[in-house]
Structures are given as structure tokens and as C-alpha cells.
Amino acid sequence: MTPHTRLIRFIGILFAATVFAGAAAAGAPQSARAATYTPISGTGSTWSQNALDQWRKNVAANYGMTVNYSGTGSSAGRRDFIAGTVDFAVSEIPFQTAPEDGSAPEKPASGFAYMPIVAGGTSFMYNLKIGGKRVSNLRLGGETITKIFTGKITNWNDPQIAADNPGLAMPNKAIVPVVRSDGSGSTAQFTLWMSKQFPTLWNSFCTLVNRATPCGLTSQYPTYGNAKAQSGSLGVAGYVSQDYGEGAITYVEYSYALKSGFPVAKVLNAAGYYIEPTAPSVAVALLKAAINTTPSSPQYLTQILDGVYNNADPRTYPLSSYSYMIVPTAVAGIFNTAKGNTLGAFTSYMLCEGQQQAAALGYSPLPMNLVLAGFDQIKRIPGAGSANVDPNACNNPTFKKGDSPTNNQLAVTAPQPAACDKQGPNQCTTGTAGAAKTTTAITGTGTGGSATGGVASAGAAATTTTAAAGAGDAPAYDANGALVSGAAASAGSAVSSTPFTLASATFGAQQATMLAAGGLLVLAVILPPVLSRRLRRSGSANGK
Amino acid sequence: MSTTLDLASARNFGPDDRLDGLEESDFAASGTSIPSVEGVETGPRRNLRKATLDEKFNVIGAAVAAVALTTLLFGWFTPLTGVVGWVIVAFLLFLGLYVLLVALRSDRQEVKDRVMTALLVSAGVALFSALVFVVAYALIRGREALPHLNFFTQTMELAGPLDPLSLGGIVHAIVGSLIQIGIALVITIPLGITTAVFLNEIGGRFARFVRTIADAMTALPSIVAGLFVYAAIIQLITHQRSGFAAAMAITVMMLPIVIRASDVVLRLVPGNLREASYALGSTRWSTVWHVVLPTARSGLVTAVILGTARGIGETSPVLLTSGVTAVLNFNPFSGPMISLPLQVFDFVKSPEPNMVARGFGTAAVLLLLVLGLFTVARLIGGRGPGQLSDRQRRAAVAASAGDLQRMSARPLDERVEAPALPIAPQSPAPSSTAPTSSEETSQ
Amino acid sequence: MSKIDAPPVRRSLVSAPSRSDSAFKAVTFTAGVTTVGIMLAVGLFLSIRAGAALKVSGFSFLIEQQWSPDTRVFGIAAILFGTISIAIIAMCVAVPLAIGTALLISEVAVGRLKSFLVSMVDLMAAVPSVVYGLWGLFFLQANVIPVSQWISTYFAWIPFFRVSDASGQSLTEASAFTSSAFIAGIVVGLMVVPTQTSVMREAFSQAPIGEREGALALGSTRWGMIRTVVIPFGRGGIIGGTMLGLGRALGETIAVYMIISPIFTINWQLLKTGTNSVSALIALRYGEASDFGLSALMAAGLVLFIITLIVNFTASTIVARSRSGAETG
């Protein structure tokens, strides 16, 4: 009736609703979860989140397990694990026992183990056009990539890039490297590779951005020169795929390039082939991944990827790595053997059945050596005794029953690279990743080839004439060029889109005449009524 | 209640009604008398609300001329290009032409008035089109997810990134959001409004201190509110992320907003209403309860709505505190409980187009949910003290007409002691009866 | 209330507070103390956590531009500059729009339209910031870049609007204009308009009806009435709303986080790529920050907090002097 009683009633209803909801809570969750598995929760890497989301769903649907995972970032995951607020954490880098910044070492109170869970390649998604046509077959050497991301190479027509791409007439366009602005595992994996493979370049870059040298991996990419920093994989991939992102290149998960319809660069491996980061090429590379098995080492059980970076197999993608799940090996805090049982079953599922979907999710399945290493860690989880750790009962796509780490299905069946992918004057014209259906015309001095054919077709070896000449010049646009916004982001299509650029800042006679004409037009509209009014008024004044 | 009624009557007076000749001599002569309109000169009615044909022509003419002229300029005459430029030039031309057209017939004050009205309207149009655009953007990007009924009835427990949109939903996030904002409101509304009352009704040095602190906290980065709860509650007490912790973070963020906005509206309660109440001998408490709060009611609802809007739509405080889950959780004290904005944030990070569509769909659901909550809030408490519903207004009019009849029917000598006639809310119906009754009494 | 039929007793002019009054006073006082308690707990917690970082950096925290807690070289100068420049741009966008819309709703619109607009504004205040961020990133940015280019071409003589590279050469490429303070400011501005509009509208609608009618009766136009009655009366609301909006603009996290390209040098060229913000920095860095890094982030939050304290204090002094504030204050 009165206003305040109604207000009270409203508050009362709200309160009652909350209390009711709280009371209902007592019964609801129990009925929802299955009897055999206790729910577990974890935090960490955003890099692995897509895979974990899918696996979480699969185990919930098939086994009634409840697994909560929150992709808050690797370091946050490790911190949560130390603080004991989670049952497991996922991270790209191990606990920092001697952090560079001299802060307290990350040391969990109780036992833990690192277990490989999912592999992937750091791919380089780019947006580049030559003569208005999207390039989809860019090739880059490791040193070229490092120089691009350390500010040493700033233009697409740099001789080193041209040397990598004999089939492309590289345009005179500034390179816009797009890096992650948030701390991320992708950055950690990429910088680890650069610091191991090109320490001189990387260290001089560290000096440039005021970091202590020699510097190793970092989760936060320093901003420099022309580089843009964007948050999250979504941000970097989004930037590159916009119209204004022409000339941009970024490091991102392969799946983002795949889904946004953009190509990724093929990277030169130790065998002299330019390879795309597909699931098999990453998996083959990781066959050489080693694990530190010295218990006294502070890096005990962590990955040693030097063998991967320099794997001599021609099928390998050099920037391959994997992320860890950090699992407890002792009962402590909120972790108990019942949770250990769930965790064991879940991890066993991940290493075997779960890897079947890795490729579809944009990752790469773990090869046999890493799965076996993972099994060793499952055995250490308290309460995980019933989990399957038998490789012969493991439905992993990279190996079958009876295989061994040295001789397994993956090593035998992974596809060999096309001949045109070999370092040299030939360059495949087939597209990569999201732009796989787009072939790129040969515009450079090299010869072309198709990845499927594997043999360079002589017909495509046309040297550049008009297209290359046009690409080098600054494009000229008419005054209406600005109106063309273009639907260039549409997947896979190499439509030509005119980017907006001001023709010139100069103000010539032509522009002045046009503006004058415009001004006269406005005057022509405004003057008659004003003048007629004036005249009428003065006329009537005279009349009086 | 009487004070509210006074205000009500004042509000319901149109400016024209005042001109009906209330002459003081009438009151002086015979205590109470009913004013008569006879013989009182009234000027021509100024129409403040409706536009005349002439004014309408000015607007339409100027708009058409501006569009035509801009198109000419952009297409043929000058090197001007771009949609944004077109809009700006067209708008400037419209303003110029409108001034010209109005100036042809009116004086400078009138021109100013018209131009400012045009500017106000264009500010509104610009804002609403931008905002509608944002909402439409969310709806369009989420259109693939929204038609699936399961999106509103299922959880994501049995749906992963690779699953089609016909599987999985966000009911767990809807429930999470409602529980979290419910807890936050249960704390914030009483505490925030009481604090605002304290600032305004008790006053003093401490109140100024409280106000300064509360004001400063409005700029506390919302993520810091989350960090605070993470360190103070999760790390020290509960050791796990939960809906309750998220609600606390939202509370810390909402409280200063509610206090500040309530403070602004409580300040605006006219001092004479309070003084009138005190003069009638009421206590502070009853003044606040019966005068101040009802007067400021719609403003307080606005304050709560502002706080709720911020609390329900902000991602950063729950980012650290609520945890992420795909499971329906009714218990705010145990286990992670996701809310809608965090679910949006979580979805759109995914590379899978289906997950991104779910993310935008979730954002659209959040907007719908908020719209629903706010409509309810406005219905319950949104009316200002003077604003009556149609039914209440009719009742008031009927009551005052009855009063008039009753008083008019009394003999003249009795009327001296009669209480002064309150200015009854008038509407065309009773005012037409007024002259006739006054004629009867004047005989 | 007092007894009239006992004349000899001297009437005390100080009335003892009734029981309900003292209870009322106690309850509201408790609420005030609780609020301050919560707020101070946050402030205290911030200060304590920030202490470790501030002890290391000392005064240089305020003048250093780099942000590298790992090497103990970190300061807030560039971040704070970015935060404030974004907030100022946001206010330039938001305040005129908010005042205009608030006046439109309270003075021009009537009936159904009015209540529709009111609920629209409320609704807009609840659009999740992540939606604004995505919209800004994927839609607005591409459309704002030509405007930025135009401004920087024709207004380059104003230092803020220049866009040049390190050697002073003017840049015209679209990529030089992305992720700028200008774009972030526009998005944040749009986010805070609803909050500001709500508060201002509430203040405007409280302008005394008598004075409005007085102004109109004296022959003023509607705008004349607004200018002489509504706006002076609602000044407290305008400032209060602006401050509330400014608070949100300074503290906005997710949308800024998604749009800006964080840099750690002071960038006076507001249209050019690269800016920073305290809360975006916290969101970007907390996940991968060490304990010390977290402490440095807290210190940044603390400085922002203190600056807002000063700004708000100034504002509330002005509000207290304005009419709508002074009448009851």
C-alpha cells in the first residue's frame, strides 16, 4: 500500500529468494554429480583452455566426472597451486625456483609433478597483400622471425624476407608485429625458442628494452618500435584480421588462424624445409622432446626442447612445445585421495582418448614418449591407483598397440613435406591454415609449386611483370577510396580491398577549387532567403 | 503523506491552470471562496509542449536541405569523403539551415531555444543510436545461439568447444548471476542507503569524512575490489573461489556507487519539507521515514539500479573471485559459481566460432535479464512522490471534488473555522464544476 | 508535546532525543562506520600490499615511466598519464552527451517516451564491459581510424593531435592510429554516459516547480528556463554525475584492456597507437606477476586511488557550495 512497505516487500522477496536458493543448494549438487568421482578444480594456462574445456565436457558426459577449469593464466595457476586453492594447475613454464626478479622462489609446500597434457606449435598468423591479393604462402626462417619480433627487420621488402620467399615480390610495407599485452604461455614458449636458438639477437633486444641480460623466456612481451600489443589470442588474431591490420604479423595458436580464415607462415626447420604447424608436424617434432630426469636438478621433470627446435626430420615444425599439468603427489590442503582418484582418471583420459580431438581443437596430439612420461606421473598421484597407465590400452592417435617411442605409428605415417617447401628457388603456391584454399600467384623471381603435387609446375614460374611492379609503388586511390571499407575479413577469400589512406596531406589547387565550389553551393542555398528577406524589409521601409 | 500530496498537486498543475485568477481578496473577504474565472483577462496560451506546423516544417525542411546539400557536396563538389564526415557535415548544415529558417520568423531568444532543443535532441539521438548499436551488435553476433531453447535451459557441463549450439546452455551462469547480485543487494541496499541517510540527516565532521571516503572509492578500479576479496577472503578464510566471495567483491564495488548516487538524491529533498515535518513535531526518525525517503524514492531506486547495473555487468571483480565452472551450483559458499559477464568473457576468448556466438548470446541474455530486473524495480519503486498512477490521480480528483461539494454545502458562518482549502489537484473535469458551485455559494 | 499546564517549570529548549531518534542515530552511525570500515580495509590492504614495492622504488615510483618490477625499474608516470588521458577523452565525449540527454529526458520528453528513455539509459548502464570492448575492437576502431587520420592531418599543429614517428615524420598509415587513447576514450566515454545521465536527470527533475513556472511566466523560452533555473539548480548533480562517471572511467578495466596497446612511455600524441591504464595493467599483469610484481601493481592502484580522492574532494567541495547541495547541507 504505502511506498515503503512495498520497498520492504521487494527487499524481502529478494532476500527470501536468496535464502531459498541457498537452501536448495544443499540438495542439488549432490544429485547432479556421480557417486564415484569427487569434483576437482584447477586454474592456469589460457593456452590449453580450449582443450581442457572439451575434455572436461567429455569426462562429464561419459564418466560423470566434474572438472572445473578456469583459464586465468599460467602464473596465476601456479600461484593458486602453491596457495592450495586448486587441485591442479596448468602452465607452460615450470615453477620458477630462481625468479629473475629476485622475488621469493615459487615452491609448493607439498609434492608435485609435471605432466605433459597437450602440444602445439607457435604459429605466425599474418595479413599481407601483394597488389591487392592476399598472400597465403609466406615462408620465414627462424632468424627472420626473431629479427621481425626484435625490431631488426621492419619492412616486408627486407632482403632476408625476400630470400625466404623467392616466389613473392615483397611489397614496401612496414611490418606491424603484434604481440600479447597480457602475460601468456604463448609468449613464454615463443621467447624460450628465441632465447635458445638466437641468443645474441634476443639478448641485444633485451638490452634495448631495459631487461637484464642474458635473458631467458618471459611471459610478458616487451613493447618496442612499431609493435602493437593486444590482449589475449582473440585480441592479436582480431587485430591481424582487420583491414587496418594489413602488414601485421602475430604469434598465436594455430586454431585462431584456422578459424579466422587467415594464413600462417611456414617456418624453416633444421632439415631445410618450410613447414606449417599442423598437428602431425608438431607431434613429429616432439618425438625428440626430452624430460629432465635428474632428481637433484631444480628443473627436475621439466621439458628440454633443444632437440625439438633442431629436429633433423624434414617433417617437423621447429616451434613446437607442450604445456604441463601440475599435479599434487601428496595429500595436502584441499587435496585428498578421493580427488586423486578423479584426477588420475581424468589425466589418463587426457593422455589417451583426449588426444584424439587435439587436432580438431587446433592442437597437436602428444607423441608416445610424452605419453609414457605422463603415465609415470599419474602413478605418483595419491589415490590414482585405478587409472589406466598401460600404453597398450591407450587410444592415442599417434601410436598403436605394441609401438615403442622410437618406432611408432606417427613416425611412420606422418606426411612428408612437398618438394616446393624445400629451401630454394621453388615456393609452394598453396595456402596455409585458414586460407588453405587460397593459392597465391607467383609474383617474385622464384618458381611455384603446389604442396599437394609436390613438384614445381613450370607453368607457374612466370616472373613478375605488372603485379610486382604495382606492388612496390605506393597505391594510388581516388578520393572515394575512403568509402571502401571492404569485407576483407571474410574467410579464405583473397578479395582485393582498398585500405584507407589519405591520398596526401598536401592541399593543392584542385582541392582548393573543389572546396570553393562546395562553399559556393552552400552560399547558393543560403543567400536567397536571407537576401530576399533583407530586400523585402528595406523595400517595405522605403515604402513607408 | 500530506506533504507528498502537496507536491503532487503542484506537479499536476499545468502552467495554464495557474492563470485561472486566484485573487487574494477572495480569501480575505470571506475566509474560503472559490475563485471565479469571470472577468479575468488571460493572454494567449503559450504552447510549450507541442510543435506547430510551422516549427515542424522548419525541422523537416532543414533536415531535407541538409541531406541534399551534403550529398551534393560529397558526391560532386568537394574532395570530402567518408561516412563519418558525411554525418558531421550534414549535421552542421542542418543546424545552420535550421537557424536560418527559425530566424526568418522569430527573435533571437526563440532561435536560441530552438537550436538548443535541436542540440538536446541530437545528443539524445547520438547517444541512443550508439548504445542501441552496441546492444544490436551483441544480439547480431549472438543470433546463432539465441534461437536454441537449450541455451536457456541447459548448462555447459555436457557441452564443449567442438559441440554444436544445439547442445549446452548458460542456465548455470544465469543462476550464478542472480545469486551473486542478490547477496550483494541484500548487503548494499540497507547499508548504502542508511549510510547516505547518515551523511545527509546526521551530518557532522565524521559524515564528511565518510562522504569523502565513499566518493573516493567510486574510482577504485573494480579489479582491485576483486584482488582485495581474493587476498582477504579467499586466501585467508575460504581457500576456494565461491559465489559468496564474488558477491563480496561486487558489494565492495557497488557500495560506493549506491552511496554516492543516493547521497545526490537525498541532498535534493527540499529542506522545507524536512522543516515542515520537524515543525509538526515529528522526530528525526519519522521525518526520514515518512518525508525524506518517500520524497527521494525514485532517486533511491535509480541509485540502486545504477549500482546493480554496474555490479551485474562488470567482469573484473568476479574474474579473480568466483571461479569458472560449467556446472549448475546453487550454493554460494562452496565451489566455483560463474556469473554471466564472466561467462561472456570466458566464451569469447575461445577460437571456436560456436563458443564466440555463445558468448554474445550470453551478453544478450544478460541484457534481457537486466531489463527485466529494472522494469520490476521501476514498477515497484520508480514513481516519484508527486507522480501518481492514473487510478490514484482519478481517486485524488474525485476526493477533492467531494471535499469541494461538502464545503460548499456548508453555511457561510461555519466556514470561518473551516480549515483552509488545500489546493486540490485539478484536472479539467473538476475545474469545470468549480465555477458552478462558486456561483451557488456567492448568492 | 510539552506540557502546557505546568507553567512554573522552566521549559528546556534542548529537547532530549526520543528513543527512536537515538536508535536511528545509532543505526545510521553504525552504517557509516561499517562503510568506512570496509573502505578503509580495502585502502589499508592496498597500502600494505603496495608497501613492499614502494619501499624499493621510493619517490621514483611517481616519475619513472618504465614498468619492469622484475628489474626493480618501475614507475607509474606513463601509466598514470595514459589513465588520465583516457579518462579526460572519455569525459569530453560523455559529459556533453550526458547533460544533453539528461535535459532531453527531464525537460523535453514527455509521457511514454520519457519513461522509455529512462529505462533505456538504465539498461545501457548494465551492458557488460566486455561487450563494449569487443564492439570497440571489432567495429568502432575501423570506423574511428579515418576520423583520427583526418584530425591528425588538419590539426597537426595542435601537439595532442600530431601523429609522428620518433624522427618527427608525420604518419598517415592506418596502423599508426589503432589502439590509441582516443579510441579507448570514446569507448569508455560511451560506457559512462548512462551512469552520468541517470544522476544528472535525477538532479534536473528536482528543480523547484515554482521557479520553473516563474521563469516561464516571465516570458522566458524553454531553453531560457533551463539555463536560468534547471542547470544552476542541478549543478551539484552535474558534478556528482561527472565524478561518478570519472570514477568509472578511471577504473574501467576490461574494455580498455581489450582495446589499448600498452606502452610504458608518455605518449602525448593521443591519436597514436599506445597508451596505458592502471586497471588494465593490473588485469594484464596479475596473471603472470610475481609477488613483488603484484605489490607494484597494488601500488599503482593505490596512487590512482589517492588521485581520485583528491579530485573527488575538490568536486565535493564544489557540490557543497552549489545550490542543490547547499540547501540541505
Side-chain angles (χ1 to χ4, degrees):
Chain A
M1 171 65 200
T2 53
H4 45 261
T5 47
R6 251 188 266 135
L7 193 68
I8 291 170
R9 200 177 302 158
F10 174 58
I11 296 169
I13 290 168
L14 262 181
F15 187 74
T18 318
V19 170
F20 170 75
Q30 271 80 358
S31 59
R33 65 180 71 130
T36 42
Y37 292 112
T38 316
I40 51 172
S41 61
T43 56
S45 164
T46 49
W47 189 84
S48 320
Q49 188 173 7
N50 209 28
L52 278 155
D53 270 349
Q54 186 65 36
W55 294 333
R56 161 192 68 65
K57 173 256 164 174
N58 293 347
V59 293
N62 298 330
Y63 308 110
M65 271 185 236
T66 302
V67 179
N68 295 310
Y69 182 73
S70 164
T72 51
S74 296
S75 300
R78 294 197 306 275
R79 252 206 322 277
D80 284 343
F81 189 83
I82 296 171
T85 57
V86 290
D87 302 309
F88 65 90
V90 178
S91 172
E92 273 77 47
I93 53 177
F95 284 114
Q96 301 294 293
T97 43
E100 275 180 57
D101 59 353
S103 60
E106 296 178 341
K107 196 172 175 0
S110 61
F112 64 94
Y114 299 109
M115 171 192 305
I117 55 164
V118 66
T122 306
S123 61
F124 298 92
M125 173 175 160
Y126 60 92
N127 182 351
L128 181 66
K129 287 185 188 135
I130 297 179
K133 291 266 188 219
R134 172 158 301 144
V135 175
S136 62
N137 63 343
L138 188 74
R139 322 198 290 190
L140 294 172
E143 194 183 329
T144 321
I145 290 171
T146 310
K147 281 184 174 172
I148 288 175
F149 281 93
T150 53
K152 285 266 177 8
I153 294 179
T154 55
N155 198 304
W156 284 107
N157 64 6
D158 190 278
Q160 199 164 350
I161 301 181
D164 280 327
N165 297 281
L168 297 173
M170 299 308 292
N172 174 21
K173 176 114 191 131
I175 299 178
V176 180
V178 182
V179 301
R180 288 282 291 269
S181 60
D182 51 338
S184 88
S186 314
T187 309
Q189 290 172 344
F190 179 39
T191 54
L192 175 68
W193 174 79
M194 285 197 286
S195 67
K196 293 265 190 198
Q197 293 299 97
F198 304 97
T200 336
L201 283 170
W202 181 240
N203 281 332
S204 68
F205 175 67
C206 283
T207 320
L208 186 80
V209 296
N210 300 322
R211 292 217 176 178
T213 50
C215 61
L217 65 86
T218 173
S219 300
Q220 267 129 13
Y221 209 95
T223 43
Y224 65 96
N226 202 14
K228 315 277 171 198
Q230 294 286 308
S231 63
S233 300
L234 177 81
V236 289
Y239 188 99
V240 171
S241 60
Q242 299 287 311
D243 282 347
Y244 52 75
E246 196 189 331
I249 182 166
T250 188
Y251 57 91
V252 71
E253 290 92 317
Y254 186 60
S255 52
Y256 283 89
L258 216 54
K259 296 288 164 12
S260 54
F262 273 78
V264 298
K266 290 181 176 176
V267 179
L268 184 66
N269 65 18
Y273 281 89
Y274 292 95
I275 298 297
E276 186 182 346
T278 54
S281 57
V282 171
V284 173
L286 285 175
L287 283 171
K288 282 277 173 7
I291 285 179
N292 187 333
T293 46
T294 326
S296 58
S297 161
Q299 302 298 317
Y300 178 49
L301 291 175
T302 60
Q303 60 190 356
I304 303 170
L305 292 171
D306 304 78
V308 176
Y309 298 154
N310 297 311
N311 197 329
D313 192 314
R315 301 171 291 180
T316 60
Y317 186 76
L319 276 98
S320 302
S321 56
Y322 57 88
S323 61
Y324 305 111
M325 179 178 276
I326 299 168
V327 293
T329 53
V331 171
I334 60 166
F335 186 76
N336 52 37
T337 49
K339 284 184 167 180
N341 183 30
T342 317
L343 189 58
F346 180 53
T347 48
S348 166
Y349 172 85
M350 285 195 308
L351 291 175
C352 298
E353 197 75 46
Q355 301 295 327
Q356 295 280 357
Q357 280 178 308
L361 290 161
Y363 300 89
S364 156
L366 286 174
M368 191 170 188
N369 53 333
L370 294 176
V371 173
L372 292 178
F375 282 158
D376 290 341
Q377 307 314 321
I378 295 180
K379 292 173 196 155
R380 299 173 62 196
I381 301 173
S386 59
N388 165 46
V389 288
D390 175 16
N392 289 325
C394 179
N395 188 17
N396 183 301
T398 64
F399 57 89
K400 55 183 197 297
K401 203 172 168 182
D403 279 356
S404 73
T406 49
N407 177 28
N408 55 56
Q409 189 173 358
L410 173 78
V412 177
T413 60
Q416 291 291 336
C420 58
D421 273 333
K422 182 144 176 62
Q423 208 171 8
N426 284 0
Q427 181 164 7
C428 295
T429 54
T430 16
T432 48
K437 291 194 180 70
T438 312
T439 52
T440 308
I442 290 299
T443 52
T445 53
T447 49
S450 138
T452 45
V455 185
S457 57
T463 45
T464 60
T465 48
T466 48
D473 297 339
Y477 299 111
D478 64 348
N480 286 330
L483 284 170
V484 180
S485 59
S490 64
S493 62
V495 289
S496 84
S497 141
T498 333
F500 181 90
T501 42
L502 282 182
S504 66
T506 54
F507 195 77
Q510 196 192 357
Q511 277 85 353
T513 323
M514 288 170 111
L515 269 190
L520 284 176
L521 174 70
V522 173
L523 281 184
V525 172
I526 290 173
L527 276 183
V530 176
L531 280 183
S532 76
R533 193 162 166 244
R534 272 281 157 76
L535 288 174
R536 204 183 304 143
R537 203 181 288 158
S538 60
S540 65
N542 288 345
K544 273 179 188 171
Chain B
M1 208 55 206
S2 71
T3 48
T4 24
L5 206 75
D6 272 0
L7 216 78
S9 57
R11 284 265 170 101
N12 286 332
F13 258 120
D16 305 320
D17 302 330
R18 279 289 160 91
L19 299 173
D20 292 349
L22 283 166
E23 285 182 17
E24 272 190 27
S25 56
D26 286 352
F27 291 98
S30 58
T32 311
S33 86
I34 307 304
S36 151
V37 284
E38 269 177 81
V40 179
E41 274 190 42
T42 52
R45 282 198 171 206
R46 279 173 62 201
N47 199 334
L48 287 165
R49 296 285 193 203
K50 278 211 178 94
T52 61
L53 188 68
D54 184 35
E55 285 160 2
K56 275 181 197 158
F57 171 76
N58 284 346
V59 175
I60 295 167
V64 170
V67 168
L69 205 53
T70 319
T71 313
L72 268 183
L73 280 176
F74 270 63
W76 284 280
F77 279 84
T78 55
L80 298 170
T81 46
V83 180
V84 182
W86 192 93
V87 171
I88 291 171
V89 171
F91 179 67
L92 290 178
L93 278 175
F94 165 76
L95 274 189
L97 291 168
Y98 187 57
V99 168
L100 192 72
L101 285 175
V102 176
L104 288 177
R105 312 202 71 184
S106 327
D107 60 357
R108 191 197 273 189
Q109 290 296 329
E110 188 82 23
V111 174
K112 255 196 218 164
D113 179 49
R114 294 289 160 224
V115 171
M116 288 316 294
T117 309
L119 281 180
L120 293 188
V121 172
S122 22
V125 169
L127 174 64
F128 285 110
S129 46
L131 295 179
V132 164
F133 215 34
V134 175
V135 175
Y137 181 77
L139 286 173
I140 289 170
R141 296 275 311 252
R143 69 185 182 282
E144 289 162 28
L146 289 173
H148 297 280
L149 191 66
N150 57 287
F151 190 62
F152 306 94
T153 56
Q154 296 182 0
T155 68
M156 287 302 289
E157 187 175 11
L158 301 178
L162 295 180
D163 288 316
L165 289 169
S166 55
L167 210 65
I170 52 159
V171 71
H172 59 303
I174 297 176
V175 168
S177 253
L178 286 177
I179 292 178
Q180 287 171 17
I181 201 76
I183 297 175
L185 281 176
V186 164
I187 300 171
T188 317
I189 294 178
L191 189 58
I193 292 180
T194 317
T195 307
V197 166
F198 172 70
L199 299 183
N200 276 284
E201 303 300 319
I202 309 290
R205 196 172 291 166
F206 181 65
R208 274 202 295 278
F209 174 68
V210 176
R211 178 175 286 146
T212 313
I213 295 282
D215 283 359
M217 295 309 285
T218 56
L220 185 78
S222 45
I223 189 136
V224 174
L227 271 178
F228 165 69
V229 170
Y230 179 74
I233 293 183
I234 296 179
Q235 285 194 329
L236 295 182
I237 304 168
T238 62
H239 296 294
Q240 63 172 340
R241 290 157 210 264
S242 65
F244 181 73
M248 288 301 110
I250 296 173
T251 306
V252 168
M253 192 191 69
M254 270 170 69
L255 191 58
I257 298 171
V258 173
I259 293 175
R260 172 134 212 175
S262 317
D263 185 31
V264 168
V265 293
L266 286 180
R267 269 163 182 254
L268 293 174
V269 173
N272 47 18
L273 288 185
R274 280 197 195 88
E275 284 152 18
S277 169
Y278 288 132
L280 289 170
S282 67
T283 59
R284 264 184 167 170
W285 159 241
S286 57
T287 304
V288 167
W289 189 244
H290 292 294
V291 177
V292 177
L293 289 181
T295 310
R297 186 155 63 113
S298 86
L300 292 177
V301 172
T302 305
V304 171
I305 282 180
L306 275 182
T308 315
R310 181 83 191 277
I312 206 168
E314 188 72 273
T315 317
S316 34
V318 293
L319 197 61
L320 292 174
T321 47
S322 80
V324 172
T325 179
V327 183
L328 192 60
N329 179 6
F330 282 104
N331 186 352
F333 297 101
S334 156
M337 176 196 273
I338 201 165
S339 61
L340 286 167
L342 188 58
Q343 185 71 70
V344 176
F345 192 64
D346 203 49
F347 275 148
V348 297
K349 280 196 299 193
S350 170
E352 304 293 334
N354 275 352
M355 293 297 260
V356 177
R358 282 192 184 109
F360 281 100
T362 311
V365 169
L366 173 58
L367 287 178
L368 292 178
L369 185 77
V370 167
L371 185 66
L373 283 182
F374 289 180
T375 315
V376 170
R378 283 271 174 227
L379 280 182
I380 292 173
R383 263 201 198 87
Q387 297 164 303
L388 306 175
S389 69
D390 286 346
R391 200 163 142 204
Q392 285 169 317
R393 192 174 298 133
R394 257 178 275 132
V397 166
S400 78
D403 284 347
L404 189 65
Q405 219 115 43
R406 185 165 46 78
M407 282 175 223
S408 311
R410 268 192 240 170
L412 198 65
D413 51 323
E414 270 184 40
R415 244 185 259 164
V416 183
E417 288 143 46
L421 178 69
I423 305 168
Q426 296 202 359
S427 65
S431 70
S432 64
T433 64
T436 52
S437 54
S438 70
E439 271 166 32
E440 282 166 25
T441 46
S442 59
Q443 284 163 6
Chain C
M1 294 278 156
S2 55
K3 281 187 173 179
I4 310 164
D5 46 340
V9 182
R10 189 172 271 238
R11 188 162 67 98
S12 165
L13 288 172
V14 183
S15 59
S18 69
R19 198 173 295 164
S20 71
D21 256 7
S22 18
F24 166 68
K25 209 168 166 180
V27 166
T28 53
F29 189 80
T30 317
V33 171
T34 315
T35 308
V36 168
I38 295 174
M39 300 306 171
L40 284 186
V42 178
L44 207 67
F45 160 81
L46 261 185
S47 316
I48 291 171
R49 292 296 297 265
L54 288 176
K55 222 180 277 166
V56 170
S57 68
F59 181 69
S60 74
F61 187 71
L62 291 179
I63 48 172
E64 174 62 46
Q65 298 187 15
Q66 281 301 316
W67 187 267
S68 172
D70 299 356
T71 51
R72 298 293 190 271
V73 181
F74 60 100
I76 202 175
I79 303 156
L80 209 57
F81 177 83
T83 312
I84 291 170
S85 62
I86 292 176
I88 289 175
I89 294 168
M91 288 301 112
C92 291
V93 173
V95 171
L97 274 180
I99 295 180
T101 313
L103 286 175
L104 175 76
I105 294 175
S106 77
E107 307 301 319
V108 180
V110 282
R112 280 267 171 77
L113 181 67
K114 185 171 182 166
S115 52
F116 173 71
L117 292 183
V118 170
S119 38
M120 280 293 279
V121 169
D122 289 342
L123 178 65
M124 295 306 171
V127 175
S129 40
V130 54
V131 172
Y132 276 105
L134 290 165
W135 178 77
L137 192 61
F138 291 112
F139 180 81
L140 189 72
Q141 178 146 296
N143 288 293
V144 167
I145 286 173
V147 180
S148 302
Q149 282 173 321
W150 187 82
I151 297 175
S152 79
T153 309
Y154 294 103
F155 294 92
W157 45 276
I158 302 172
F160 289 123
F161 296 149
R162 259 186 85 75
V163 174
S164 59
D165 58 16
S167 59
Q169 190 75 29
S170 286
L171 294 169
T172 52
E173 281 199 5
S175 66
F177 297 88
T178 53
S179 312
S180 64
F182 181 60
I183 295 170
I186 291 178
V187 173
V188 173
L190 282 178
M191 295 178 72
V192 302
V193 173
T195 316
Q196 295 184 333
T197 307
S198 286
V199 175
M200 290 179 192
R201 176 186 60 80
E202 206 60 55
F204 292 150
S205 66
Q206 302 271 351
I209 193 92
E211 289 176 33
R212 285 162 190 262
E213 284 166 359
L216 292 173
L218 288 169
S220 103
T221 56
R222 182 164 58 198
W223 169 246
M225 184 271 286
I226 291 174
R227 198 168 56 82
T228 52
V229 176
V230 178
I231 292 184
F233 183 85
R235 193 172 294 148
I238 294 179
I239 293 169
T242 307
M243 287 301 128
L244 205 56
L246 184 67
R248 181 157 187 202
L250 288 169
E252 175 49 43
T253 310
I254 299 292
V256 176
Y257 161 96
M258 298 182 94
I259 289 167
I260 63 167
S261 169
I263 54 163
F264 296 96
T265 45
I266 291 182
N267 179 6
W268 288 97
Q269 304 179 341
L270 300 179
L271 298 175
K272 191 182 159 191
T273 297
T275 182
N276 220 322
S277 132
V278 172
S279 39
L281 182 81
I282 296 175
L284 287 169
R285 293 296 174 91
Y286 88 90
E288 305 286 331
S290 61
D291 261 359
F292 185 78
L294 210 56
S295 160
L297 291 176
M298 296 279 187
L302 184 70
V303 171
L304 176 65
F305 178 47
I306 290 168
I307 286 178
T308 337
L309 197 84
I310 296 165
V311 174
N312 273 313
F313 196 71
T314 322
S316 53
T317 321
I318 300 171
V319 176
R321 283 191 193 147
S322 83
R323 211 184 123 207
S324 48
E327 196 166 76
T328 55

